[in-house]
Amino acid sequence: MARQRIDSLSKALSRPELNFDFLLDVKNLHLIRENIRCRKGIGNIDAVHSLWKQIQDYQNKINRCRQEYQSLWDKFYEEAALIPNMCHASVVKGDMSKAKIVRLFGERRNDTNLKTAESIMKAWKALYSPLNACGERSYAFIGPGTDLELALIDYVSSVMEQKGFKSIIVPDVLHHSTPECCGLQQRSDNDILYRLNKYSDFCLSGTSEMGLGSLMAGRIFAHHELPMKLTALSRCFRPEIATTVVESKLYRVHEFNKIEMFVICEENDSDSQLDELVEVQTSIFSSLGLHCRLLDMPSQELGASAARKFDIESWMPGRKFFGEVSSASNCTDFQARRLGIKYYDSKGVEKFAHTCNATAIATTRTIIALIETYQTERKGLVELPLDIRRRMPETRSWTISLRNVKDMNISHASTSKEFKA
């Protein structure tokens, strides 16, 4: 029965109520084509119109094959679902070089000879890369590394509670249709999700946004229930590969902990909800004493679902570069249409909701920024912000040495190479 319900939900989500009044209006063709071009060319509105014409012509045929007719509809919905969200009017067209710095906050540290977070943590015996896992794309925190991550999670969780977010625990294993409904699209030959070998319809979640979206799928809210503000702590699984040295090791790993914010709101409220999410994010990173810049992202950095997106990048003085630590997106009705999330407005009219999502904290990159910012010459730390310090033990937690531990199951030769998804 459970499998039947999953298949039923998947089938329902594969035929979402997209905005076909807009998509199939020939007056909008140029606008949609230009929007696709500005977003790295994902989606083909001309293919959607061509398939729609074939469906209309097929309906006039005397001898119709049900299977062929069904296939046309399947292709039509498949192509239509790939059309990205329309960019917000404020979004600048172009690549990352067009990102606009909205503001800078926090004091920047520019000392010379600063160490990376990884070298400092390894000196503490607090960071290891297990040989029988994913090499430098995996990690284990021990002692003070664990203390710091748990303190960050506890602190940000308390902020979420103060801001009125409802905490939810979501599953890490999802049906593959959920990430697709959330706007995750395959853009290259590199895998973007981990699939389960024996259960290929299922995957590991890349962010709790997906689990939260799945939980809300098919629901209809009363207008007084909105905005609904949800938050979830989860493990995030991503088969990513670093392209530069500064993005290697702890910066870009295959799994990490993240607290996500997810908002469901009325159609005219998503811009203000996005602004509120960004304010929550900036307050968190300001309180941590990090030097950051808030970026209004250009069209090629939006993905398929976002109409507008802001990123926060923190200065990582050991690496000497700004690294992304947080992002916030207004997805308007893109996800809601694919997930079937609706509401009744004050007049009782049924409408599609809008969704926004934002990272409250991704622990690994925030730990990099904290350690590299607060480091001393002797690979120690000056006093961390009070909100973090008071959540950590007064003395350094225990450490153990794994330097000479042998793995009896995997040979050294087979584990010396970095795992690549």
Side-chain angles (χ1 to χ4, degrees):
M1 289 296 293
R3 180 73 188 193
Q4 290 177 350
R5 286 196 296 271
I6 291 172
D7 290 342
S8 177
L9 176 61
S10 176
K11 185 176 181 180
L13 295 179
S14 68
R15 292 290 180 89
E17 296 180 56
L18 303 181
N19 190 354
F20 288 116
D21 287 340
F22 176 79
L23 292 175
L24 296 176
D25 189 337
V26 293
K27 296 178 182 178
N28 298 325
L29 268 175
H30 176 73
L31 181 66
I32 298 172
R33 287 193 194 108
E34 180 64 13
N35 184 65
I36 291 171
R37 186 190 67 80
C38 292
R39 287 173 171 260
K40 296 184 178 180
I42 301 298
N44 187 340
I45 189 61
D46 293 297
V48 174
H49 278 251
S50 175
L51 286 164
W52 179 243
K53 186 177 185 305
Q54 291 179 54
I55 289 171
Q56 300 302 106
D57 293 341
Y58 202 88
Q59 289 176 339
N60 297 324
K61 286 187 176 182
I62 298 176
N63 297 319
R64 290 184 292 181
C65 172
R66 181 179 179 84
Q67 186 174 359
E68 186 177 353
Y69 188 56
Q70 179 73 31
S71 178
L72 277 175
W73 275 107
D74 290 341
K75 290 178 181 178
F76 171 72
Y77 271 94
E78 182 180 345
E79 286 291 343
L82 291 175
I83 303 300
N85 203 348
M86 297 299 295
C87 291
H88 189 278
S90 301
V91 171
V92 176
K93 297 176 182 178
D95 59 16
M96 187 61 190
S97 65
K98 300 295 184 180
K100 177 184 177 182
I101 299 178
V102 179
R103 67 177 182 266
L104 296 166
F105 56 92
E107 185 176 345
R108 175 166 170 167
R109 184 171 181 179
N110 287 314
D111 308 30
T112 58
N113 300 321
L114 293 178
K115 306 296 183 183
T116 64
E118 292 87 345
S119 63
I120 295 171
M121 294 183 76
K122 286 183 178 180
W124 298 346
K125 297 180 181 178
L127 172 65
Y128 290 87
S129 297
L131 292 178
N132 57 348
C134 304
E136 289 189 345
R137 289 292 176 272
S138 63
Y139 63 94
F141 287 154
I142 298 172
T146 304
D147 294 338
L148 182 53
E149 179 166 33
L150 292 177
L152 281 169
I153 290 172
D154 185 60
Y155 167 55
V156 176
S157 296
S158 70
V159 173
M160 295 294 97
E161 184 178 2
Q162 293 168 11
K163 298 296 183 180
F165 285 82
K166 298 177 181 178
S167 295
I168 295 178
I169 300 296
V170 294
D172 292 329
V173 178
L174 301 171
H175 192 271
H176 71 82
S177 61
T178 299
E180 293 169 3
C181 289
C182 289
L184 191 65
Q185 295 180 352
Q186 187 77 40
R187 292 173 177 263
S188 68
D189 293 334
N190 296 326
D191 292 329
I192 55 176
L193 287 171
Y194 286 115
R195 295 289 183 108
L196 305 189
N197 285 337
K198 293 184 178 180
Y199 305 95
S200 58
D201 286 344
F202 296 89
C203 61
L204 296 180
S205 176
T207 169
S208 56
E209 170 197 343
M210 298 173 181
L212 290 168
S214 176
L215 184 65
M216 296 296 110
R219 296 177 183 266
I220 304 178
F221 298 94
H223 72 94
H224 66 266
E225 295 180 285
L226 303 180
M228 178 167 286
K229 300 181 178 181
L230 308 173
T231 183
L233 165 66
S234 74
R235 198 73 167 167
C236 303
F237 300 89
R238 300 183 183 181
E240 297 181 338
I241 298 175
T243 56
T244 62
V245 174
V246 291
E247 290 187 354
S248 63
K249 300 183 179 179
L250 199 56
Y251 184 87
R252 194 174 295 281
V253 289
H254 287 315
E255 54 180 306
F256 58 93
N257 290 318
K258 180 161 72 82
I259 297 178
E260 184 79 1
M261 297 179 282
F262 189 81
V263 177
I264 301 171
C265 63
E266 297 186 47
E267 62 180 0
N268 296 321
D269 194 28
S270 56
D271 283 339
S272 61
Q273 290 300 322
L274 178 64
D275 290 340
E276 288 186 24
L277 290 174
V278 171
E279 285 305 311
V280 173
Q281 291 174 312
T282 54
S283 69
I284 289 172
F285 289 101
S286 293
S287 69
L288 294 177
L290 299 175
H291 175 64
C292 299
R293 61 186 185 186
L294 174 64
L295 303 177
D296 193 346
M297 302 304 284
S299 59
Q300 289 189 20
E301 298 296 320
L302 298 182
S305 60
R308 194 177 191 186
K309 183 161 81 85
F310 291 94
D311 277 4
I312 294 179
E313 294 183 340
S314 176
W315 177 245
M316 300 176 177
R319 284 168 161 76
K320 293 181 173 55
F321 94 125
F322 279 97
E324 180 191 340
V325 291
S326 188
S327 66
S329 300
N330 179 0
C331 298
T332 61
D333 65 353
F334 183 94
Q335 294 178 334
R337 283 184 174 276
R338 287 156 176 78
L339 292 167
I341 304 174
K342 301 179 180 180
Y343 72 99
Y344 292 112
D345 68 10
S346 58
K347 296 181 180 179
V349 178
E350 184 179 291
K351 296 182 177 180
F352 281 101
H354 279 200
T355 62
C356 297
N357 63 81
T359 304
I361 195 164
T363 56
T364 47
R365 292 188 184 181
T366 306
I367 286 173
I368 289 174
L370 278 172
I371 291 178
E372 293 187 6
T373 297
Y374 286 90
Q375 65 178 286
T376 64
E377 291 182 0
R378 296 186 177 183
K379 294 186 178 180
L381 297 182
V382 297
E383 283 195 345
L384 290 168
L386 178 61
D387 286 317
I388 301 302
R389 192 169 69 248
R390 68 186 181 87
R391 288 174 165 83
M392 297 181 69
E394 293 184 5
T395 58
R396 178 179 290 185
S397 183
W398 60 272
T399 60
I400 59 175
S401 176
L402 301 181
R403 191 176 302 278
N404 297 317
V405 173
K406 293 182 179 179
D407 191 315
M408 302 304 294
N409 297 318
I410 301 179
S411 68
H412 179 73
S414 65
T415 58
S416 60
K417 295 181 179 179
E418 179 187 326
F419 169 83
K420 292 186 178 180

